[in-house]
Amino acid sequence: MVRPGRGGARPSPLPLALVPPGEVSLLSSPLVAVRRSRLRSGPLGRFLSALKVSFMNNQKPQKPTLSGQRFKTRKRDEKERFDPTQFQDCIIQGLTETGTDLEAVAKFLDASGAKLDYRRYAETLFDILVAGGMLAPGGTLADDMTRTNVCVFAAQEDLETMQAFAQVFNKLIRRYKYLEKGFEDEVKKLLLFLKGFSESERNKLAMLTGILLANGTLNASILNSLYNENLVKEGVSAAFAVKLFKSWINEKDINAVAVSLRKVNMDNRLMELFPANKQSVEHFSKYFTEAGLKELSEYVRNQQSIGARKELQKELQEQMSRGDPFKDIILYVKEEMKKNNISEQTVVAIIWSSVMSTVEWNKKEELVAEQAIKHLKQYSPLLAAFTSQGQSELTLLLKIQEYCYDNIHFMKAFQKIVVLFYKAEVLSEEPILKWYKDAHLAKGKSVFLEQMKKFVEWLKNAEEESESEAEEGD
């Protein structure tokens, strides 16, 4: 309702919220519409709009949270509790029923893999097959656990029985390939537990391991466990290695053993089976030769010699690059020859190789011969110091022939090199004539024999003249 004010002035209209219900119809009048528009644009209108927006925002649905909520898990999704004891009972019961028939054992293990979780209980499975039950740390069997006599440790101590057990492991791992890694881990663990086993048990394990290494079921890297300080110190590692290598070489040969060791970089580590004060070729050779493993002794001696020769060549090249005096180089080489029992023939070949590798050769054939003669003339005194034997001279001749054949730019330089060494007293008549007659290599022989023909004829004539002069003198 609109009432006139004093002096005829009209009062301000009532706010919309204060209009009585019976007078709502007045809101439809043009005058009310104008006033309502003014109300919206005024301070109160702006306040009410902001209040409305805030109210609407607070009505948005809240995001759910996980706090305090529980979810039910299906029975099949629950993780099975690790229970090796129950698994052990199942395996031992089955082995007891098969008895000592290892073919029946293999069939039982093959069938059980479909019902039992081999992947989860691999360590328990292999403990039982090797020791008859689960092993505690150190290699002892727990007293409160059930055991079986159908295992490696309870079997007869002979190669034939261990070969039969090896077939059980082979069949099992071929059938369930995922057991391969678990089996290698098991053997590494067993090797660390050797002190906890009896001597007979160690012998059986050694024979079995050698057979499995021979047929490829195991990788030679498992032998790293034998380098355990305590096992080495007490002589357990060396004694175990004797039985292991005997069965390994019996299945294959020393060459196959060498290849396997080389693949895992263990061909130069065998002496580490002994304490540091006994790590010598002489001690190793004596120990294994007396144990009936002469081929292994010779292999290690040869490996040691190869290592010494490589070290000699490396040091020799460094001395040459530094320009050390020849007398110092000769003294060093002779000491290494004596210390490592390296022959003069081997040394002269190493020196030749080192001398030829210290220079970058010219690519042009017509220039390389002159370069070679100048270079080799410089090193003639060094080579002459290690050609005191006819066989050493012949070795050098063969190395020169081989080098000139393998490096095509040197094909025409062979005769010039030989003549240079003859004049420098590195080579003498007899070895040169022997090389020419029947001791040369097949590599490029027609080319090199033709080059040497005139020089050899001159040597023969000179030799005949010397003999004639000697006879006249008599």
Side-chain angles (χ1 to χ4, degrees), residues 441-457:
L441 299 173
K443 293 180 176 181
K445 72 173 186 177
S446 59
V447 175
F448 299 134
L449 291 176
E450 182 62 29
Q451 284 184 33
M452 291 292 293
K453 187 176 180 180
K454 290 183 179 180
F455 181 65
V456 167
E457 288 177 357

Side-chain angles (χ1 to χ4, degrees), residues 82-97:
F82 184 67
D83 186 10
T85 305
Q86 185 177 357
F87 177 85
Q88 177 181 247
D89 292 340
C90 293
I91 293 294
I92 288 179
Q93 181 181 350
L95 292 176
T96 303
E97 292 173 359

Side-chain angles (χ1 to χ4, degrees), residues 7 13 37 56 59 75 93 108 126 164 204 272 291 300 340 359 394 428 464:
S37 175
M56 293 299 292
Q59 295 305 306
K75 186 98 176 160
Q93 181 181 350
F108 159 71
F126 292 127
K204 294 169 192 173
E272 294 177 35
V300 168
N340 295 298
V359 64
L394 187 57
S428 56
E464 289 172 1

